[in-house]
Every structure is written in structure tokens, then in C-alpha cells.
Amino acid sequence: MLKVCKFGGTSMADGNVINGVKKIIESDASRKYVVVSAPGKRYSGDSKVTDLLYKCHSELTEKGNCKESFKAVRARFVSIVKELNIPFNIEAVLDETEKLIVSENSEDFIASRGEYLCARIVAEVLGAKFVDAYDVVFFKEDGSLDGAKSYKAISEAVSGANSAVIPGFYGKGTDGRVKTFSRGGSDISGAVVARAVNATVYENWTDVSGFLACDPRIVDSPVKIKCISYKELRELSYMGANVLHSDSIFPVRKANIPIKIKNTFNPADEGTSIVPSSRYVPSGNIVTGVAGKKNFTVIFIEKSHMNAEVGFICKVLTVLMDEGIPVEHIPTGTDTMSLVVDSGYLKKEKLEEIVSKIKTAVSPDTVRVLEDVALIATVGHGMSSSVGTSARLFNAIANANINIKMIDQGSSELNVIVGVNNDDYENCIRAIYYEFFR
Ligand code: ASP
């Protein structure tokens, strides 16, 4: 048994919490490799260290130094070391870091220092080897992770070490400078380390006891998901469930390494297991979860004999590709097709330009645009094997008096996606949840 544990920002918030983390790690000898985030909020209204560091970057850009903003970062780390009561000269490391921040002067470098400093401290607390992510996590020219190179470097760096601590969130770009993942990216780092050492499980320690079947801000106390497949999670996390960075399943999924979401503040809680479909344990519920996202735009295109026109869809999609706009869904009919696009990519002029280019490319009979659409995904492996699930879903939505603007069922029968008005979003989620979970 070999476990890689990633601890999120709230698990690193102060010295007491870090002592709790130490206990968790020491209670299980297979928890050998640890990835950490930068310290998060201690209480509501507090600042995350990474946010303080982004402020340092802004101050540096404006004034040529970041003395004011760095004070808050310094205070956080000094107090953590004090609370831990360890003989670690944090002031010296902070002095050096402050100098490097000014000389490196890059946003990614500055943002990465929260994880760097935190990992230095945790390595000290655990008496573990510190492995700098800069030396072992690599990005490719296009900004994506260089998996093969990283896995090799990580496994070499930790081989022989009894335990190791690696900062999350960053690595080295092809230009030799520090580069970060997107926000929340320490989850990805944890997955990369798990894959590199071929862990039995990747434990992701956070401040909640796993995934809930839907957003608790919309439904009161939704049920917890005990087991979810990578595929189901992709459908749900992509739509907005945000306990785990949605990119973090890719490295482990290829090696069939399960992820376990655990709660640092309630370690005995079973948490949620994310597993390959072959190891999926059905809960008995047809639906695993319901999640969604507001603000999509639907571009509806109609043309007689569209089905017979070779290359029609390709020409339409080329327009969006040339503009660098990703398409979320493409529901089609015999003479119709719709493009569902995240509205964030379509500011007013852009939308007009796209519509006009589509008109030129395929001479459609009609092009209509529908804005303020919310997409809601109902996801579950159980859906493919039970008759009448869609009927129940649509009935529930109809009974809530909600008009469905668009339907898309993935061919895997794993999910049904409906598009409704933004204003109906919360009600629609509630209607679906009550139908399948109450
Ligand atoms: N500290 C980074 C952030 O706040 C990365 C992470 O926490 O995973 O986004």
C-alpha cells in the first residue's frame, strides 16, 4: 500500500491544523508522499496566502517593490512556524524569497511561493525530504503538463526517501522559469505525484467529507456520494462541482489509481472514492449527481437538406475553431443544428461576428441566438440500465413548470443535459434532485 496525500489550503491554514495533518500522516505508514497547497483562510474574511501573493505581484508592477503586501505573507508564515514551535529559521527563508520575488518579477513565480514556503515548513515538521516541484514537474511548450518527463523526475527524486513533501501548484516551463497550473492546481500536482510513484490511492484531503449529489446552496443537505467513477465526475465537475480541480483526474485515471476525498477536520469520515468504471460500486441510486452552470449561448442554425450537405457541420465548426472558441454541445436535427457555447467567449461584437461568418460559410435559412441559458447535467451509471429515467426527469421538470430549451443525451447514456433559462436554474436542479433522491 502506498498513498500520496494532498492537503489543501484549509488543511494548512495555521500551526494547529498542520499538527492535525501530522497526526493523520503518522497514523498510517503508507502515507509516504505529501503534496501541499499554500495556507488558506483561517476564518471567513481571512485571506488565502496565494491571494496575498497575487497582491504582491500587483504592488511590484505598480511600485517596483512589494514591501507592503509581502508583510502580510511574512506574518502568516512566521505565525505558523511559531505555533508549530519548530526550530526553523523562517525569517531567513522569507528574506531570500522576498529578494527573489523582486528579481524574478513574474506572476507565476510569486504566486507559487505560498506552496514553496508551506512545503518547506511541512517537510521540517514531518522530518521528510523536501522536493522542489521546480525540479520535478515540467510543462511543455504549449503550457500543458509534460507527464512523461515529470513522472520520471519525481520517481527518481523520491526514490530512497522514506517520505517526501512536494509543493503543489507549480513546476518549470520550457523557458526555465516557474510556471503554475490554473487556480486550485495543487490537486493536479497531487495526481501527478500519485501517478509518478504508482500509488495505490491518491488521498485528497480537504475541508469537506466528499462530494454531494448536488450544490448544497440550492438543496438543503443533499446526500453524499460515496463512490463515483472518473467518467461521472468529469460530467459533474465540468459543470461546476468544485471540490477537486477537474483536470486532476487525468494523470491518475490512465493508471487506474483511485482518488479518495477526505476531510482533514473529520478524518474518520469515509469520504468519496473516485474510481475507474470497472471498480465502480453502485449506490443503488439511478442518478449519482446533478450539477450545472449558468450563462451559455445557443446558436441555432436551420437549413433545408442540411443532412445531405457534405461538410456542413465541419464548415460551421471551422468558424468557431478559427476564433479559438470551444463548443460545449452540438445538438442536431435533420435540418437543424445548435451550437452551445459558454457566453464568456462571446462578447457582443464577437457573437455578431460569429453569426455573420456562419452565414457566409454555409448560407443557412435561419440563424437564431438564444442567450442566458443554463445547462444542467443529470449523471449516473445507473441511468443506462433503467427504463424510464428520462421520462421521470422530464416529468419532474415539467411539473416544476420549467420550459426546456435544449436536450442532449451523451451517447454513453451516462448523462442527460438540459438547457433552461438562467432564471429557472435553481428550481430545475431542485426538481431533478427531489425526483431521484427523495
Ligand atoms: N494556492 C493555489 C490557489 O489558491 C493552488 C491551490 O490551492 O491548489 O489557487
Side-chain angles (χ1 to χ4, degrees):
M1 191 74 151
L2 175 60
K3 294 179 179 172
V4 167
C5 304
K6 179 258 165 179
F7 289 89
T10 40
S11 310
M12 293 288 128
D14 64 29
N16 292 333
V17 187
I18 295 178
N19 270 327
V21 165
K22 180 174 191 254
K23 273 196 200 130
I24 291 172
I25 294 167
E26 290 177 349
S27 69
D28 181 343
S30 60
R31 293 191 175 123
K32 280 172 65 111
Y33 305 122
V34 175
V35 173
V36 297
S37 282
K41 293 182 182 183
R42 291 160 290 187
Y43 43 85
S44 91
D46 193 19
S47 301
K48 292 172 87 171
V49 164
T50 308
D51 291 333
L52 296 174
L53 287 161
Y54 280 114
K55 271 195 199 148
C56 288
H57 177 253
S58 308
E59 190 185 336
L60 185 61
T61 313
E62 275 165 32
K63 299 190 196 157
N65 73 69
C66 60
K67 282 202 176 91
E68 266 316 301
S69 324
F70 196 74
K71 269 188 199 156
V73 176
R74 182 180 287 274
R76 269 310 276 282
F77 283 106
V78 168
S79 88
I80 287 176
V81 170
K82 209 166 168 195
E83 285 154 356
L84 287 166
N85 195 17
I86 48 170
F88 181 61
N89 190 352
I90 187 70
E91 292 281 7
V93 184
L94 286 163
D95 289 344
E96 190 197 342
T97 302
E98 193 173 353
K99 271 192 210 130
L100 282 172
I101 282 181
V102 177
S103 60
E104 287 281 331
N105 196 0
S106 101
E107 187 172 41
D108 281 11
F109 177 81
I110 299 173
S112 73
R113 293 305 88 185
E115 272 71 13
Y116 170 82
L117 292 163
C118 193
R120 291 282 309 264
I121 294 171
V122 174
E124 206 64 31
V125 169
L126 297 174
K129 178 177 180 185
F130 168 78
V131 175
D132 194 345
Y134 178 78
D135 298 323
V136 292
V137 175
F138 300 101
F139 291 91
K140 292 186 194 159
E141 194 69 50
D142 64 4
S144 63
L145 172 81
D146 188 336
K149 196 171 168 191
S150 308
Y151 304 145
K152 187 167 177 280
I154 294 167
S155 73
E156 281 169 11
V158 302
S159 84
N162 226 336
S163 55
V165 179
I166 303 151
F169 192 39
Y170 70 92
K172 189 198 278 188
T174 43
D175 58 359
R177 304 187 80 184
V178 162
K179 180 171 167 46
T180 61
F181 290 105
S182 57
R183 293 298 305 265
S186 299
D187 285 338
I188 309 172
S189 311
V192 171
V193 174
R195 169 79 182 277
V197 301
N198 201 12
T200 326
V201 57
Y202 165 32
E203 286 184 345
N204 190 290
W205 291 82
T206 166
D207 56 357
V208 291
S209 291
F211 289 105
L212 300 173
C214 87
D215 188 336
R217 288 166 302 186
I218 300 176
V219 169
D220 219 16
S221 314
V223 302
K224 201 178 79 189
I225 300 173
K226 280 198 187 136
C227 183
I228 185 168
S229 71
Y230 298 134
K231 276 190 192 161
E232 287 176 321
L233 184 64
R234 274 299 292 158
E235 297 298 339
L236 289 170
S237 68
Y238 155 77
M239 301 294 291
N242 48 14
V243 176
L244 186 75
H245 193 298
S246 61
D247 286 347
S248 49
I249 62 173
F250 294 111
V252 284
R253 181 181 185 165
K254 278 221 174 102
N256 282 339
I257 299 169
I259 307 175
K260 187 120 192 168
I261 307 292
K262 295 281 287 174
N263 187 347
T264 303
F265 304 94
N266 189 1
D269 207 315
E270 206 191 326
T272 298
S273 296
I274 306 158
V275 298
S277 302
S278 57
R279 287 162 73 176
Y280 180 72
V281 184
S283 64
N285 244 337
I286 295 171
V287 169
T288 304
V290 186
K293 205 170 141 196
K294 287 185 180 176
N295 298 326
F296 287 91
T297 298
V298 181
I299 304 173
F300 173 83
I301 305 163
E302 191 170 21
K303 186 176 185 185
S304 297
H305 306 298
M306 180 190 288
N307 60 335
E309 195 175 320
V310 175
F312 187 94
I313 294 181
C314 175
K315 285 182 208 156
V316 173
L317 291 181
T318 304
V319 170
L320 283 108
M321 185 180 77
D322 290 347
E323 296 292 327
I325 296 174
V327 179
E328 222 72 25
H329 296 284
I330 318 173
T332 56
T334 309
D335 283 342
T336 59
M337 72 177 285
S338 298
L339 300 164
V340 185
V341 178
D342 188 326
S343 307
Y345 291 101
L346 298 171
K347 299 286 169 252
K348 192 157 182 356
E349 308 78 56
K350 189 48 105 201
L351 181 58
E352 280 163 14
E353 190 186 327
I354 298 280
V355 169
S356 129
K357 284 191 174 161
I358 290 175
K359 285 183 179 162
T360 312
V362 292
S363 316
D365 299 335
T366 331
V367 181
R368 269 187 288 125
V369 172
L370 196 66
E371 292 181 89
D372 303 322
V373 172
L375 295 185
I376 297 168
T378 305
V379 178
H381 280 291
M383 290 166 69
S384 60
S385 52
S386 55
V387 178
T389 309
S390 307
R392 283 178 66 188
L393 177 76
F394 297 129
N395 254 326
I397 299 175
N399 289 339
N401 210 8
I402 293 167
N403 183 17
I404 300 177
K405 304 265 171 198
M406 183 213 92
I407 300 169
D408 195 6
Q409 174 172 25
S411 37
S412 61
E413 287 188 63
L414 185 72
N415 62 336
V416 176
I417 295 169
V418 294
V420 299
N421 271 335
N422 270 350
D423 293 344
D424 289 327
Y425 174 73
E426 284 85 3
N427 276 340
C428 189
I429 293 220
R430 270 181 223 118
I432 300 171
Y433 180 84
Y434 292 145
E435 172 62 32
F436 290 102
F437 290 90
R438 292 264 163 95

